[in-house]
Amino acid sequence: MIDFLIPMRPVPKARARVTSRGFAYTPKRTADAEKAVVSYARQYIKAPLEGPVAMILEFCYEVPKSFSKKDREAALSGILPKTGRPDIDNLGKLCMDSLNGIAFQDDSQIVRLELAKRYGEKNSIHVQILTV
């Protein structure tokens, strides 16, 4: 089992952009986030897992300073969920694409995927990958 925490604000995977000359490129924010995920993953992963894998990703966002004390407590206890943007599927896509070839040989090996978005004390991404 692979289990690690990335201390960064979760970033969704943005669509590729196209220049006026027709060249496609990945937006800088997405590329930087992918590099950060890869950097942390390499510290914990020695070789890609083989066979089918399950992936559990939890995206944690700091509670906004504008929240009242009551809302802050509700957010931290899980009563007040983190809704709105970014979309959870785009958050998962960035992590899956970043870990392709590092945690598993190809993301087609993922047979089970769990995604969660919540509030917490600090921004982070909790990654768990296990063979099934």
Side-chain angles (χ1 to χ4, degrees), residues 13-116:
K13 176 108 178 182
R15 296 181 195 275
R17 305 286 185 224
V18 180
T19 66
S20 59
R21 294 184 180 194
F23 295 104
Y25 68 96
T26 301
K28 183 177 181 352
R29 183 173 176 225
T30 298
D32 290 347
E34 288 175 332
K35 286 177 190 171
V37 170
V38 168
S39 174
Y40 278 97
R42 288 188 193 269
Q43 295 175 33
Y44 298 95
I45 302 170
K46 296 183 180 15
L49 296 173
E50 294 181 14
V53 298
M55 188 170 194
I56 303 164
L57 300 169
E58 185 178 58
F59 305 99
C60 187
Y61 287 88
E62 282 182 20
V63 178
K65 294 187 187 331
S66 61
F67 275 23
S68 67
K69 185 176 180 181
K70 181 181 173 184
D71 286 346
R72 178 179 175 74
E73 289 172 5
L76 290 174
S77 67
I79 296 169
L80 181 64
K82 166 73 171 117
T83 58
R85 297 207 177 267
D87 294 349
I88 198 165
D89 58 328
N90 294 329
L91 292 169
K93 185 71 174 151
L94 183 126
C95 289
M96 290 187 294
D97 288 350
S98 299
L99 296 173
N100 205 11
I102 296 170
F104 33 80
Q105 294 164 348
D106 188 72
D107 56 5
S108 65
Q109 291 174 249
I110 300 171
V111 296
R112 189 175 120 220
L113 178 64
E114 289 182 33
L115 304 172

